[in-house]
Coordinates of all heavy atoms in Angstrom, one line a residue:
V13 N -98.0 -57.2 178.8 CA -98.6 -58.2 179.8 C -99.8 -58.8 179.1 O -100.3 -59.9 179.8 CB -99.0 -57.4 181.2 CG1 -97.9 -57.0 181.9 CG2 -100.1 -56.4 180.9
Q14 N -100.2 -58.4 178.0 CA -101.3 -59.1 177.4 C -101.0 -60.3 176.6 O -101.8 -61.0 176.0 CB -102.2 -58.2 176.6 CG -102.7 -57.0 177.4 CD -103.5 -56.0 176.6 OE1 -104.2 -56.4 175.7 NE2 -103.3 -54.7 177.0
Q15 N -99.6 -60.5 176.4 CA -99.1 -61.6 175.6 C -99.6 -63.0 176.1 O -99.6 -63.2 177.5 CB -97.6 -61.5 175.6 CG -97.0 -60.3 175.0 CD -97.3 -60.1 173.6 OE1 -97.3 -61.1 172.7 NE2 -97.6 -58.9 173.1
K16 N -99.8 -64.0 175.3 CA -100.3 -65.3 175.8 C -99.0 -66.3 175.7 O -99.2 -67.2 176.4 CB -101.4 -65.8 174.9 CG -102.5 -64.9 174.8 CD -103.2 -64.7 176.2 CE -104.4 -64.0 176.2 NZ -104.9 -63.4 177.4
D17 N -97.9 -65.9 175.1 CA -96.9 -66.8 175.0 C -96.1 -66.8 176.3 O -95.8 -65.9 176.9 CB -95.9 -66.2 173.9 CG -94.6 -67.1 173.8 OD1 -94.7 -68.3 173.7 OD2 -93.5 -66.5 173.9
V18 N -96.0 -68.1 176.9 CA -95.5 -68.3 178.2 C -93.9 -67.8 178.3 O -93.6 -67.1 179.2 CB -95.4 -69.8 178.6 CG1 -94.7 -70.1 179.9 CG2 -96.9 -70.2 178.7
G19 N -93.2 -68.0 177.2 CA -91.8 -67.6 177.2 C -91.8 -66.1 177.3 O -90.9 -65.5 178.0
R20 N -92.6 -65.3 176.6 CA -92.7 -64.0 176.6 C -93.1 -63.4 177.9 O -92.7 -62.4 178.3 CB -93.5 -63.5 175.4 CG -93.5 -62.0 175.3 CD -92.2 -61.4 174.8 NE -92.3 -59.9 174.7 CZ -91.4 -59.2 175.4 NH1 -90.3 -59.8 175.9 NH2 -91.5 -57.9 175.4
R21 N -94.1 -64.1 178.6 CA -94.7 -63.6 179.8 C -93.5 -63.7 180.8 O -93.4 -62.9 181.7 CB -95.8 -64.6 180.3 CG -97.0 -64.3 179.6 CD -98.1 -65.0 180.2 NE -99.5 -64.6 179.8 CZ -100.5 -65.1 180.2 NH1 -100.5 -66.1 181.2 NH2 -101.8 -64.6 179.7
M22 N -92.7 -64.7 180.8 CA -91.5 -64.9 181.7 C -90.5 -63.6 181.4 O -90.2 -63.1 182.4 CB -90.7 -66.2 181.5 CG -91.7 -67.4 181.7 SD -92.1 -67.6 183.4 CE -90.6 -67.9 184.2
Q23 N -90.2 -63.4 180.2 CA -89.4 -62.2 180.0 C -89.9 -60.9 180.4 O -89.2 -60.1 181.1 CB -89.0 -62.2 178.5 CG -88.1 -61.1 178.1 CD -87.8 -61.1 176.6 OE1 -88.3 -61.9 175.9 NE2 -87.0 -60.1 176.2
V24 N -91.1 -60.7 180.1 CA -91.7 -59.4 180.4 C -92.0 -59.3 182.0 O -91.8 -58.2 182.6 CB -93.2 -59.3 179.8 CG1 -94.0 -58.1 180.3 CG2 -93.0 -59.1 178.3
G25 N -92.3 -60.5 182.6 CA -92.3 -60.5 184.2 C -91.1 -59.9 184.7 O -91.1 -59.1 185.7
Q26 N -89.9 -60.4 184.3 CA -88.7 -60.0 184.8 C -88.4 -58.5 184.6 O -87.9 -57.8 185.4 CB -87.6 -60.9 184.3 CG -86.2 -60.7 185.1 CD -86.3 -60.8 186.6 OE1 -86.7 -61.8 187.1 NE2 -85.9 -59.8 187.3
E27 N -88.7 -58.1 183.3 CA -88.5 -56.7 182.9 C -89.4 -55.9 183.8 O -88.9 -54.8 184.2 CB -88.9 -56.5 181.5 CG -88.0 -57.1 180.5 CD -88.5 -57.0 179.1 OE1 -89.4 -56.2 178.8 OE2 -87.9 -57.6 178.2
L28 N -90.6 -56.2 184.1 CA -91.6 -55.5 184.9 C -91.0 -55.3 186.4 O -91.0 -54.2 186.9 CB -92.9 -56.0 184.9 CG -94.0 -55.3 185.6 CD1 -94.2 -53.8 185.1 CD2 -95.3 -56.0 185.5
L29 N -90.5 -56.4 186.9 CA -90.0 -56.4 188.3 C -88.7 -55.4 188.3 O -88.6 -54.7 189.2 CB -89.5 -57.9 188.7 CG -90.6 -58.8 189.1 CD1 -90.0 -60.2 189.2 CD2 -91.4 -58.3 190.2
D30 N -87.8 -55.5 187.3 CA -86.7 -54.6 187.2 C -87.2 -53.1 187.2 O -86.6 -52.2 187.9 CB -85.8 -54.9 186.0 CG -85.1 -56.3 186.2 OD1 -85.1 -56.8 187.3 OD2 -84.7 -56.8 185.2
Y31 N -88.1 -52.8 186.3 CA -88.6 -51.6 186.0 C -89.3 -51.0 187.3 O -89.0 -49.9 187.7 CB -89.8 -51.6 185.0 CG -90.5 -50.3 184.6 CD1 -89.8 -49.3 184.0 CD2 -91.7 -50.1 185.1 CE1 -90.4 -48.1 183.6 CE2 -92.5 -48.9 184.8 CZ -91.7 -48.0 184.1 OH -92.4 -46.8 183.9
L32 N -90.1 -51.8 188.0 CA -90.8 -51.4 189.3 C -89.8 -51.2 190.5 O -89.9 -50.4 191.3 CB -91.9 -52.3 189.6 CG -93.0 -52.3 188.7 CD1 -94.0 -53.5 189.1 CD2 -93.7 -51.0 188.6
G33 N -88.7 -51.9 190.4 CA -87.7 -51.9 191.4 C -86.7 -50.8 191.4 O -86.0 -50.5 192.4
D34 N -86.8 -50.0 190.4 CA -85.9 -48.9 190.1 C -86.7 -47.6 189.9 O -87.1 -47.3 188.7 CB -85.0 -49.2 189.0 CG -83.8 -48.1 188.7 OD1 -83.9 -47.1 189.6 OD2 -83.1 -48.2 187.9
P35 N -86.9 -46.7 190.9 CA -87.8 -45.6 190.8 C -87.2 -44.6 189.7 O -87.9 -43.9 189.1 CB -87.6 -44.9 192.2 CG -87.2 -46.0 193.1 CD -86.4 -47.0 192.3
A36 N -85.9 -44.6 189.5 CA -85.3 -43.8 188.4 C -85.8 -44.2 187.0 O -85.9 -43.3 186.1 CB -83.8 -43.9 188.4
R37 N -86.1 -45.5 186.9 CA -86.6 -45.9 185.4 C -88.1 -45.8 185.3 O -88.6 -46.0 184.3 CB -86.2 -47.4 185.3 CG -84.7 -47.6 185.0 CD -84.3 -49.0 184.9 NE -85.1 -49.6 183.8 CZ -85.3 -51.0 183.7 NH1 -84.7 -51.8 184.6 NH2 -86.0 -51.5 182.7
S38 N -88.8 -45.5 186.5 CA -90.2 -45.6 186.4 C -90.9 -44.3 186.8 O -91.7 -44.3 187.7 CB -90.8 -46.8 187.2 OG -90.2 -46.8 188.5
P39 N -90.4 -43.2 186.4 CA -91.0 -41.8 186.8 C -92.5 -41.7 186.4 O -93.1 -40.9 187.0 CB -90.2 -40.8 186.1 CG -89.7 -41.5 184.8 CD -89.4 -42.9 185.2
D40 N -92.9 -42.4 185.5 CA -94.2 -42.3 184.9 C -95.3 -43.2 185.7 O -96.5 -43.2 185.4 CB -94.3 -42.7 183.5 CG -94.1 -44.0 183.1 OD1 -93.3 -44.6 183.8 OD2 -94.6 -44.4 182.0
L41 N -94.8 -43.9 186.7 CA -95.6 -45.0 187.3 C -96.9 -44.4 188.0 O -98.1 -44.7 187.9 CB -94.8 -45.7 188.3 CG -95.4 -46.9 188.9 CD1 -95.8 -47.9 187.7 CD2 -94.4 -47.6 189.9
E42 N -96.7 -43.3 188.7 CA -97.8 -42.7 189.3 C -98.5 -41.6 188.5 O -99.7 -41.2 189.0 CB -97.3 -41.9 190.7 CG -96.6 -42.8 191.7 CD -96.1 -42.1 192.9 OE1 -96.4 -40.9 193.0 OE2 -95.3 -42.7 193.5
Q43 N -98.0 -41.3 187.4 CA -98.7 -40.4 186.5 C -99.9 -40.9 185.8 O -100.9 -40.2 185.4 CB -97.7 -39.9 185.5 CG -96.5 -39.3 186.0 CD -96.7 -38.0 186.8 OE1 -97.5 -37.2 186.4 NE2 -95.9 -38.0 188.0
D44 N -99.9 -42.3 185.6 CA -101.0 -42.8 184.8 C -101.6 -44.0 185.5 O -101.3 -45.2 185.4 CB -100.4 -43.4 183.5 CG -101.5 -43.6 182.3 OD1 -102.7 -43.7 182.8 OD2 -101.1 -43.7 181.2
Q45 N -102.5 -43.7 186.5 CA -103.2 -44.7 187.2 C -103.9 -45.7 186.4 O -104.1 -46.8 186.7 CB -104.1 -44.0 188.3 CG -104.6 -44.9 189.2 CD -103.5 -45.5 190.3 OE1 -102.6 -44.8 190.6 NE2 -103.5 -46.8 190.5
Q46 N -104.7 -45.3 185.4 CA -105.5 -46.1 184.6 C -104.6 -47.2 183.9 O -105.1 -48.3 183.9 CB -106.2 -45.3 183.5 CG -107.1 -46.1 182.8 CD -107.9 -45.2 181.6 OE1 -107.6 -44.1 181.5 NE2 -108.9 -45.8 181.0
R47 N -103.6 -46.8 183.4 CA -102.6 -47.8 182.7 C -102.0 -48.7 183.7 O -102.0 -49.9 183.4 CB -101.6 -47.0 182.0 CG -100.9 -47.9 180.9 CD -100.1 -47.2 179.9 NE -100.9 -46.6 178.8 CZ -101.1 -45.4 178.5 NH1 -100.4 -44.4 179.2 NH2 -101.8 -45.0 177.5
L48 N -101.7 -48.2 184.9 CA -101.1 -49.2 186.0 C -102.3 -50.1 186.4 O -101.9 -51.3 186.6 CB -100.7 -48.3 187.1 CG -100.2 -49.1 188.3 CD1 -99.0 -49.9 188.0 CD2 -99.7 -48.1 189.5
D49 N -103.5 -49.7 186.5 CA -104.6 -50.5 186.9 C -104.8 -51.6 185.8 O -105.1 -52.8 186.2 CB -105.9 -49.7 187.0 CG -105.9 -48.9 188.2 OD1 -105.1 -49.1 189.1 OD2 -106.7 -48.0 188.3
K50 N -104.7 -51.4 184.6 CA -104.7 -52.4 183.5 C -103.8 -53.3 183.6 O -104.0 -54.5 183.4 CB -104.8 -51.7 182.1 CG -105.1 -52.6 181.0 CD -105.2 -51.9 179.7 CE -105.5 -52.8 178.6 NZ -105.7 -52.2 177.3
V51 N -102.5 -53.0 183.9 CA -101.4 -53.8 184.0 C -101.6 -54.8 185.1 O -101.4 -56.0 185.1 CB -100.1 -53.1 184.1 CG1 -98.9 -54.0 184.6 CG2 -99.6 -52.4 182.9
I52 N -102.1 -54.2 186.3 CA -102.3 -55.1 187.5 C -103.5 -56.1 187.1 O -103.4 -57.2 187.6 CB -102.7 -54.2 188.6 CG1 -101.5 -53.4 189.1 CG2 -103.3 -55.1 189.8 CD1 -101.6 -52.4 190.1
D53 N -104.5 -55.7 186.5 CA -105.6 -56.5 186.0 C -105.1 -57.8 185.2 O -105.5 -58.9 185.4 CB -106.7 -55.8 185.3 CG -107.6 -54.9 186.2 OD1 -107.5 -55.1 187.3 OD2 -108.2 -54.0 185.6
E54 N -104.2 -57.4 184.2 CA -103.6 -58.4 183.5 C -102.7 -59.4 184.3 O -102.7 -60.6 184.2 CB -102.8 -57.9 182.3 CG -103.6 -57.2 181.2 CD -104.5 -58.3 180.4 OE1 -104.1 -59.4 180.3 OE2 -105.5 -57.7 180.0
L55 N -102.0 -58.8 185.2 CA -101.2 -59.7 186.1 C -101.9 -60.6 187.0 O -101.5 -61.7 187.4 CB -100.1 -58.8 186.9 CG -99.1 -58.1 186.1 CD1 -98.3 -57.2 187.1 CD2 -98.2 -59.0 185.4
T56 N -103.2 -60.1 187.4 CA -104.0 -61.0 188.1 C -104.4 -62.3 187.3 O -104.5 -63.4 187.9 CB -105.3 -60.2 188.5 OG1 -104.9 -59.0 189.2 CG2 -106.2 -61.1 189.4

Side-chain angles (χ1 to χ4, degrees):
V13 295
Q14 297 176 41
Q15 301 293 321
K16 300 299 181 199
D17 177 55
V18 173
R20 185 68 187 132
R21 281 184 171 187
M22 298 293 293
Q23 181 181 358
V24 169
Q26 187 58 53
E27 289 175 12
L28 183 58
L29 287 173
D30 294 343
Y31 178 77
L32 295 174
D34 184 358
R37 288 180 55 200
S38 54
D40 64 335
L41 193 56
E42 295 179 15
Q43 306 295 320
D44 196 346
Q45 189 66 40
Q46 183 178 10
R47 199 166 274 120
L48 179 60
D49 289 346
K50 185 173 181 177
V51 169
I52 291 171
D53 288 344
E54 290 293 331
L55 292 176
T56 301

